[in-house]
Amino acid sequence: APISNGIICWNNRYEAVNDELVIAGWNVAPGYLPPTESEAFTLSPDGRNHVYRTGDRCRVVDKMVFLAGRMDNVVKVRGFRVDTAGMEALLIACQAVEDVVVLAWRDALWGLVVTKDLPAVKLFAQENSSQAHLIIWRAVAVLPYTKSGKRDRQAAVLQLQEKEDAPVELSESNNM
């Protein structure tokens, strides 16, 4: 990787493009293995270097890079990368789901679901996603929204904190 122990490796260039960390250089990989059609990897305009859009939100101040989270909804849980927005889109297709939010909290992936049939939601997730085993499920009466109508993830985390002592529904593979 071009960043090692906080130091940019020799002969690489880094910059913030639209608040995203972009790394370019002769030793930046040309893509993922197995090859995908990722837009994260491109060639530099001169065609001699690879350019990698990391997806990390950053600021560059006095030649120092300050990372401030991700640009997208991808989180890493127990070694797996999970797109929380994609998981929500999948789960909302389940007829038993009235509303859902998937978020990372305390090194775990949580699925807060407004439903009357949580076992049906879990079964649907297991049948349609290879990452369903990562989710700790909790049925809730209502999910919080901001004044502009967007799902309020910070308030959802507060819901988890308030109910920290309440019983938790684990996926079967979480019981290992």
Side-chain angles (χ1 to χ4, degrees):
I3 297 180
S4 176
N5 295 331
I7 300 170
I8 303 294
C9 290
W10 177 74
N11 208 21
N12 283 334
R13 183 177 98 264
Y14 67 92
E15 60 185 329
V17 177
N18 297 327
D19 293 334
E20 180 180 17
L21 179 61
V22 176
I23 302 172
W26 64 271
N27 59 350
V28 173
Y32 294 116
L33 286 176
T36 63
E37 301 219 5
S38 172
E39 294 180 9
F41 294 93
T42 58
L43 278 175
S44 62
D46 64 7
R48 295 176 18 191
N49 293 311
H50 290 105
V51 178
Y52 175 52
R53 294 179 42 224
T54 65
D56 294 313
R57 186 179 310 277
C58 78
R59 295 269 189 235
V60 179
V61 179
D62 295 328
K63 297 186 178 182
M64 294 181 65
V65 177
F66 294 90
L67 298 177
R70 296 279 303 168
M71 301 285 291
D72 53 19
N73 294 318
V74 174
V75 296
K76 196 165 189 180
V77 177
R78 297 194 335 236
F80 294 91
R81 289 190 185 276
V82 180
D83 179 1
T84 57
M87 186 64 74
E88 288 171 7
L90 174 96
L91 292 171
I92 204 71
C94 175
Q95 290 183 348
V97 173
E98 295 174 32
D99 201 2
V100 63
V101 65
V102 177
L103 50 87
W105 181 61
R106 293 201 174 163
D107 298 325
L109 192 64
W110 291 80
L112 280 68
V113 186
V114 178
T115 183
K116 292 180 175 92
D117 190 1
L118 189 58
V121 175
K122 292 167 59 174
L123 181 62
F124 178 87
Q126 290 168 355
E127 291 173 349
N128 292 284
S129 173
S130 62
Q131 298 172 328
H133 69 282
L134 299 170
I135 299 175
I136 300 173
W137 300 95
R138 175 157 296 148
V140 295
V142 66
L143 289 174
Y145 281 82
T146 64
K147 290 178 182 177
S148 63
K150 294 183 180 179
R151 201 172 282 118
D152 191 341
R153 292 179 181 280
Q154 290 178 339
V157 168
L158 291 176
Q159 270 186 325
L160 284 172
Q161 288 173 335
E162 290 170 2
K163 296 183 180 187
E164 194 171 15
D165 296 328
V168 173
E169 287 272 344
L170 295 175
S171 296
E172 287 181 25
S173 58
N174 288 22
N175 294 327
M176 290 183 207

